[in-house]
Amino acid sequence: MQSEQVFGPTVPVNRVPLSSRTIPDGTRTEHQDLSDAAGISADLTAWCDHAGGQTKHRQAARLALSRLEERYRDGGLPFLTALDTGPPSRAYLDIARRFSRDADLVVHVGCGGSMHAGKAFTMATDGGSSARPDTRPVITFAGSINPDECAKLRETLNHFGQERVCCVFVSKSGRTTETLAHFAMLLDWYGEALASEAIRQRTVCLTQARPSPLRTLAEARGVPVLDVPADVGGRFAAFTVTGLLPAAIGQDISEHDEPDVLAGARAVLARAFPKEGFSPAARSAAAMAAFHERHGTATLVTLAYEPAMAPLQTWYRQLVAESLGKDSQGFTPVTACGTDDEHSQMQLWLDGPPGQMFTLLRAPAALDLRIPKEPLGYPDWFPSRLASLWNAHADATGASLSASGRPVRTFTLARRSQAAYGALMAHLMIETVLLADILGIDPFGQPAVEGTKQRVIEILTRVEH
């Protein structure tokens, strides 16, 4: 088989860029130019070959794609409209520039969709870290109300000091109990040393434009509030101010620019509805629908060969769980890490129950190290570079899964970047909505969760404070 060099090992020619203009409506992909702006290639061959797809599933995906395009053109898909137009106000960029200039530490408070996308974007740079000392402050994400974790956060805050810490509080509903608790604790911490005006310069709240506890608390204290769209759920809000503010912090963005995540996502959106052929999202959704028909509530394993992709995996886990887990349908999302989970789960993956689909995420390591093979005794085949060994493990895992008849696909990033993350997340959002349409599920909302939230309030009302 011919191959093309992208990074590390050779890459089969059937990998195609996510924003390629068309994917042939057949059982296999064709090679396309890898000059995709976001730098992502996708190998979907084993994903489609082993899913058991039939013509009816491809036809269903084509109809779903047509319906999705019609709804998008009519403004009926707010998450795509938000991606296309960007936030109505650019005030978030002013705040990002101020926080980048004034802070050594930014604390981003939120839960679920209010946090995962932003955390993924901050980890998208080549350093694989949310802290780049030369250009940006450290960004830490706080959502846990575990007392021990909160105590550790307090220690971190004390290390940096009130004058060098900025905070972002995010809750779409404005009623998230964890966010409200952190709001109280952090403003109390500020109040020990700073005047009210100084606190206002270091804090911002993101919530929808309707009355809520968070908005009331913020406005009473003069804390700036940015509106988040009420019609875009948290897991779909990556390209609203919820995800774009943390993405912009520390970046060299002028008042006329936008974060790179939007450019990557728009490259996918611009080619999501080809006049001819099949988009990658539609082909993937067809395969997933066929597999769901065969195995019911199957397992969707996301295996990342890059530790910095862990927040991206967490975001995708929520997207799958909350969008598809309805009416006794859906996939059970599982996250795994290479090479660690090769030693703990590979036996199950290759020889266990067949109801599992696999997504491999790959990107080149920011650094490569030489393996000093002294004293003598290593076999001749043992590599001299860690990157070669790392890539061999990923290649072998993908090949073994395919050889065992498991549906497996690989997304390969030519380099870690916000544009690449934006493109991949846009692809996965569109794919998930298409799959929900095929399965007859409403991908928006999470009605089953609301009961638990209400029970928390009921329990607290019975507790003496």
Side-chain angles (χ1 to χ4, degrees), residues 61-227:
R62 185 181 299 282
L63 291 174
L65 189 63
S66 297
R67 287 190 291 267
L68 183 67
E69 180 177 14
E70 183 177 357
R71 291 181 64 188
Y72 164 58
R73 305 299 181 197
D74 292 341
L77 291 172
F79 81 99
L80 288 182
T81 301
L83 165 57
D84 196 12
T85 63
S89 170
R90 299 175 67 83
Y92 78 96
L93 291 174
D94 296 332
I95 291 173
R97 284 190 289 269
R98 185 171 77 245
F99 283 14
S100 300
R101 180 192 66 225
D102 296 343
D104 292 327
L105 173 69
V106 174
V107 181
H108 186 286
V109 177
C111 295
S114 296
M115 176 179 67
H116 295 322
K119 189 172 184 179
F121 291 151
T122 64
M123 297 292 284
T125 56
D126 282 338
S129 170
S130 60
R132 293 191 305 169
D134 57 332
T135 60
R136 73 185 307 164
V138 174
I139 305 178
T140 188
F141 290 82
S144 172
I145 52 173
N146 176 281
D148 290 339
E149 293 296 317
C150 291
K152 292 178 182 177
L153 175 61
R154 183 86 173 202
E155 293 176 2
T156 301
L157 294 170
N158 289 335
H159 172 76
F160 283 90
Q162 283 95 337
E163 293 186 355
R164 301 301 298 173
V165 173
C166 292
C167 293
V168 181
F169 301 95
V170 189
S171 169
K172 177 190 170 185
S173 69
R175 300 174 61 85
T176 308
T177 55
E178 297 93 331
T179 303
L180 292 173
H182 278 287
F183 184 87
M185 290 186 291
L186 283 164
L187 262 67
D188 178 69
W189 175 78
Y190 275 126
E192 296 177 2
L194 296 181
S196 297
E197 180 57 32
I199 295 174
R200 296 185 193 112
Q201 291 296 312
R202 289 166 173 79
T203 57
V204 64
C205 290
L206 279 58
T207 189
Q208 60 186 335
R210 63 178 61 174
S212 70
L214 181 60
R215 180 174 284 272
T216 299
L217 289 166
E219 292 176 347
R221 291 158 178 78
V223 173
V225 179
L226 299 182
D227 294 338

Side-chain angles (χ1 to χ4, degrees), residues 310-373:
L312 177 63
Q313 291 178 281
T314 304
W315 168 83
Y316 184 49
R317 183 177 65 194
Q318 181 183 1
L319 179 71
V320 170
E322 289 192 342
S323 301
L324 302 177
K326 297 167 182 172
D327 302 330
S328 299
Q329 299 188 80
F331 285 80
T332 299
V334 173
T335 60
C337 178
T339 61
D340 293 355
D341 285 306
E342 294 174 12
H343 300 280
S344 61
Q345 300 191 66
M346 186 70 80
Q347 174 63 36
L348 172 69
W349 294 343
L350 297 178
D351 200 27
Q356 302 175 82
M357 301 187 81
F358 297 86
T359 298
L360 272 60
L361 301 175
R362 302 183 61 176
L367 300 173
D368 188 14
L369 298 176
R370 185 177 66 87
I371 301 175
K373 296 187 292 185

